[in-house]
Amino acid sequence: MTTATAEIAAPAARRWSAALRPAEWQLVLPLALAYAAFFLVPLVLLILVSFFDDEKITTMGGAQWTKFLGDRFTWKVIADTLKLGVFTVAATSLIGVPVALVYLGASARWQGVILFVVILPLLTSVVVRTFAWIVILGREGVINQTVLWLGLSPAPLRLLQTEHGLVIALTQIEMPLLLLPLLSVMSRMDPNLRDASSALGASKWRTLFRVTLPLSLPGLVAGCMLVFASSTTAFISQLVIGGNRLVYLPLLIWQQSLVVYNWPLASAAALTLLVSVGLGVAAIAAVGRRGHAWALR
Amino acid sequence: MTGTRGHTLDIVAVTHRYGAVTAVADVSLAVRAGEIVALLGPSGCGKTTLLRVVAGFVRPQAGSVRIDGAAIDGLPANLRNVGIVFQNYALFPHMTVAQNVAYGLEARGRPRAEVRRTVETFLDVVRLGDFRDRLPRQLSGGQQQRVALARALAVEPTVLLLDEPFNALDKGLRLDMQIEIKRLQRQFGLTAILVTHDQDEAMSVADRIAVMNHGRVEQFDTPVNVYDRPATLFVSGFVGTTNLLRGRALEAKNGCAVVTLDAGARLTVRTERAFTAGVPVVLSARPEQLCLYTAPAPERWSVTRRLSVPLGPNTMHDLETRDGATLKLIEPRHAYGVDAKEEVWCGLRPEAEPGLFDASSI
Ligand SMILES: Nc1ncnc2c1ncn2[C@@H]1O[C@H](COP(=O)(O)OP(=O)(O)OP(=O)(O)O)[C@@H](O)[C@H]1O
Ligand SMILES: [Mg+2]
């Protein structure tokens, strides 16, 4: 009797297990749920909160937005934040691209060394790196001692709490974000392409500008996007090196949310940061596409 | 297109090492103007390295490369005017077919109108005129290879180097491209080196073949001579199929050697080489140089037949000698009707000239 039941039950069980086997789209559910819970929900909350007029979050309205965007100081902060991103992207690219080219031409052993040096900053905490930069950039820091010793300037340079100093520090801090995608694209490039170019009579420079760089462009664009997004939102470095004199959007958000406790205004500032960084990244992507079209011309 | 005619290429005593590995060892080749030479050899024998030396991508530790008698060792790759087609074609993936072909002309600073005209000419030469605006990834393997050829030819190189250009192609296409390359090479009177490890390809395309092994050139001769008169045991085994029969030399004089085979026969073989009596030798006989008999006689040795398979108009027999060696024998199919178990006798065809090599070297 038991065997008979089992025989009847078996196809049913099979049908059940088939029904329980997840379809492929269901496999993405855990990630999608985590995404919804930790990204979409907070974002929606952020948008909602920004539309309250008072700090106690009781009456809805657009007063905070009008106040925030109507303030000329806000626009200066937005501009400074974007400028910081642009400068950091420019500085990391100017140093990173030659480094990547050196990497490309190096022997396997040296490539390992370069890669290690590139990754090294990622292995230390941002806080530690930032404080190290204070030691380097300070009045009695390494840079100033060198400058004075070389007689390049009569008095120590002011580097801490200046935009220059911050860009210098961010350049080192964000460098891995530029180099990793760039190196990965470059080292996947067929070395025969460069040989083919020179066999066709192209000089080193022609090969660089017509073959190597255009083909590395996707990596460079990806790296620039990461550096831009990361440097404009680098709260700790901005605060520790820039101090209170340099105000960027992250600092504004922190002041409004945790010092003044004006959450609607903080939310408006946070959304502004999100949008402006998003626009900046989109602009880099557009420039990248232009560059690609130019290389293809 | 007149500039491509008649350039000689001399490779003189070139040696190149990568660390402890000697990739090319004292190689000398004199390639005549308008000649196509195949570099044939097993994987890792240094064929690509030799090409890279000629192209100027690597500087050899010793030796010299000369074009029309003038040494080009001091010239960087971009001033050598040597065309190269890579095994993977190495087309610029971000440029269209026409831009790829124009690349070398632009690098030489030719005027725009001339560049456009030349590109058209060479796209027509490789019959790709309709594909000029496609990107390389939108082309088939054979088409990509023709672009690579057009790109290399457009700058009118003195020498064309082809590194296993047919490797990625399937068999039918391979034959088409071999004919195509031969046609272009004739049309432009190009001096060319073709790297391959496919002996049939070397035989059909090249005027002369340089057989390489372990960085050395073992023989540099016409395809017929390389096949019929291999200079070394390696060449006899690498080019074509061969049977190796061990034995001892008894005497050698007047261009003939008498050998006793371990398989049990005494043969007289024509050879130019001298052998001291008693040295171990290896007789290398091609499958078509052997013959089957149903009766014993002098200069024949007994074999057992293990398998016979038809091979086009021929029959291929798989035989075993008394000392346990296996032989392959090919002969025109005829109605012997000998039973598979029957003992048969094997001998050399009367006109056959098998190779005889000193075996103390191996
Ligand atoms: N860049 C390199 N560094 C170190 N050793 C190398 C390098 N290139 C080639 N070799 C070595 O030199 C030898 C010859 O290599 P090469 O590429 O010339 O052979 P090949 O005849 O072209 O072989 P294949 O038919 O497989 O292409 C090999 O032993 C190889 O391992
Ligand atoms: Mg090779």
Side-chain angles (χ1 to χ4, degrees), chain B residues 18-19 21-24 41-50 87 163-164 195 197:
Chain B
Y18 291 108
V21 184
T22 304
V24 173
S43 191
C45 71
K47 307 180 295 287
T48 299
T49 307
L50 191 57
Q87 185 174 339
D163 192 356
E164 310 207 23
V195 163
H197 53 233

Side-chain angles (χ1 to χ4, degrees), chain B residues 15-332:
Chain B
T15 296
H16 186 72
R17 292 181 207 89
Y18 291 108
V21 184
T22 304
V24 173
D26 193 27
V27 167
S28 294
L29 292 175
V31 184
R32 299 182 196 121
E35 184 181 37
I36 180 160
V37 165
L39 285 185
L40 176 65
S43 191
C45 71
K47 307 180 295 287
T48 299
T49 307
L50 191 57
L51 275 206
R52 296 179 68 80
V53 167
V54 175
F57 303 144
V58 293
R59 297 250 154 144
Q61 269 92 33
S64 168
V65 178
R66 297 182 194 146
I67 289 179
D68 289 335
I72 55 168
D73 305 294
L75 290 180
N78 60 323
L79 298 180
R80 288 195 176 193
N81 202 20
V82 166
I84 182 162
V85 174
F86 292 88
Q87 185 174 339
N88 61 356
Y89 316 137
L91 296 176
F92 303 123
H94 57 305
M95 297 182 194
T96 64
V97 167
Q99 287 167 335
N100 265 282
V101 179
Y103 189 88
L105 299 162
E106 284 170 356
R108 282 167 170 70
R110 301 275 168 80
R112 264 163 182 263
E114 187 196 324
V115 170
R116 205 170 321 124
R117 230 178 314 117
T118 315
V119 168
E120 292 308 313
T121 309
F122 280 92
L123 284 181
D124 286 345
V125 163
V126 297
R127 304 191 207 107
L128 280 177
D130 297 338
F131 295 85
R132 68 168 60 72
D133 294 323
R134 296 241 197 134
L135 288 174
R137 62 169 174 272
Q138 297 164 327
L139 300 178
S140 73
Q143 290 164 341
Q144 288 184 24
Q145 161 155 65
R146 300 218 294 274
V147 177
L149 255 177
R151 182 178 72 174
L153 290 176
V155 294
E156 299 175 18
T158 50
V159 176
L160 182 65
L161 308 175
L162 304 149
D163 192 356
E164 310 207 23
F166 312 116
N167 241 16
L169 306 180
D170 57 47
K171 215 160 179 198
L173 202 53
R174 204 178 253 239
L175 201 62
D176 288 348
M177 287 309 301
Q178 287 171 1
I179 294 168
E180 181 105 5
I181 286 204
K182 192 99 182 146
R183 175 179 73 86
L184 292 173
Q185 185 259 340
R186 288 258 169 83
Q187 182 179 344
F188 296 110
L190 276 172
T191 308
I193 295 187
L194 169 80
V195 163
T196 176
H197 53 233
D198 176 346
Q199 42 149 328
D200 293 334
E201 187 171 295
M203 302 281 260
S204 59
V205 178
D207 297 316
R208 282 195 291 169
I209 299 177
V211 185
M212 286 184 73
N213 188 29
H214 293 308
R216 295 184 181 279
V217 172
E218 301 233 343
Q219 188 170 8
F220 183 35
D221 213 332
T222 60
V224 169
N225 277 350
V226 165
Y227 189 84
D228 288 348
R229 266 179 283 282
T232 65
L233 195 55
F234 170 80
V235 175
S236 82
F238 190 76
V239 181
T241 340
T242 197
N243 297 296
L244 299 181
L245 289 154
R246 295 182 169 276
R248 270 175 200 285
L250 291 186
E251 53 178 317
K253 59 173 183 234
N254 307 334
C256 278
V258 179
V259 281
T260 49
L261 298 183
D262 295 354
R266 173 183 292 221
L267 303 178
T268 307
V269 182
R270 243 168 299 163
T271 176
E272 271 117 52
R273 294 191 190 87
F275 295 92
T276 40
V279 293
V281 290
V282 174
L283 182 79
S284 163
R286 305 245 177 240
E288 65 274 13
Q289 289 176 327
L290 297 175
C291 194
L292 273 189
Y293 303 92
T294 46
E299 307 232 330
R300 293 181 193 170
W301 58 97
S302 103
V303 289
T304 41
R305 209 167 46 157
R306 299 196 300 195
L307 192 71
S308 296
V309 288
L311 212 68
N314 300 319
T315 302
M316 201 265 291
H317 302 281
D318 185 37
L319 310 165
E320 184 172 351
T321 62
R322 254 182 12 211
D323 65 322
T326 57
L327 297 180
K328 282 194 171 52
L329 185 152
I330 291 178
E331 58 180 8

Side-chain angles (χ1 to χ4, degrees), chain A residues 76-296:
Chain A
K76 185 184 173 303
V77 172
I78 294 175
D80 282 351
T81 309
L82 294 179
K83 205 166 76 181
L84 180 69
V86 170
F87 283 175
T88 311
V89 164
T92 45
S93 305
L94 278 180
I95 297 172
V97 170
V99 169
L101 292 174
V102 168
Y103 173 88
L104 201 58
S107 68
R109 178 143 38 98
W110 278 105
Q111 286 192 337
V113 173
I114 295 174
L115 201 61
F116 177 73
V117 172
V118 166
I119 293 179
L120 197 59
L122 288 180
L123 304 178
T124 44
S125 139
V126 183
V127 183
V128 174
R129 271 185 287 160
T130 304
F131 277 104
W133 273 105
I134 292 194
V135 177
I136 297 169
L137 298 172
R139 258 184 90 78
E140 258 110 69
V142 180
I143 291 188
N144 268 325
Q145 281 178 0
T146 315
V147 164
L148 291 179
W149 184 73
L150 289 173
L152 293 175
S153 160
L157 300 174
R158 217 193 132 77
L159 290 170
L160 281 180
Q161 305 194 359
T162 65
E163 199 173 35
H164 305 300
L166 183 53
V167 169
I168 291 174
L170 281 176
T171 300
Q172 187 264 342
I173 291 168
E174 310 292 356
M175 191 59 86
L177 294 185
L178 182 93
L179 278 175
L180 287 180
L182 185 58
L183 291 186
S184 116
V185 167
M186 273 191 173
S187 49
R188 262 184 324 213
M189 195 162 58
D190 178 7
N192 280 348
L193 291 176
R194 277 168 281 143
D195 283 341
S197 171
S198 65
L200 286 166
S203 63
K204 281 209 171 68
W205 289 106
R206 194 179 187 88
T207 303
L208 177 64
F209 284 108
R210 298 299 301 274
V211 177
T212 312
L213 286 184
L215 289 175
S216 325
L217 203 62
L220 182 62
V221 169
C224 287
M225 286 176 172
L226 290 176
V227 169
F228 186 84
S230 174
S231 59
T232 46
T233 55
F235 173 62
I236 293 172
S237 311
Q238 290 171 1
L239 181 67
V240 174
I241 297 172
N244 288 328
R245 293 164 51 99
L246 298 176
V247 182
Y248 298 104
L249 278 170
L251 181 65
L252 205 68
I253 298 168
W254 177 71
Q255 284 172 341
Q256 291 301 326
S257 58
L258 295 176
V259 181
V260 187
Y261 281 103
N262 185 350
W263 281 28
L265 191 68
S267 303
L271 288 167
T272 308
L273 178 63
L274 188 69
V275 169
S276 31
V277 170
L279 287 178
V281 166
I284 292 174
V287 170
R289 269 195 302 276
R290 261 301 162 71
H292 202 65
W294 176 83
L296 283 175

Side-chain angles (χ1 to χ4, degrees), chain B residues 2-15:
Chain B
T2 48
T4 51
R5 231 161 254 283
H7 296 278
T8 61
L9 169 68
D10 291 288
I11 297 170
V12 187
V14 165
T15 296

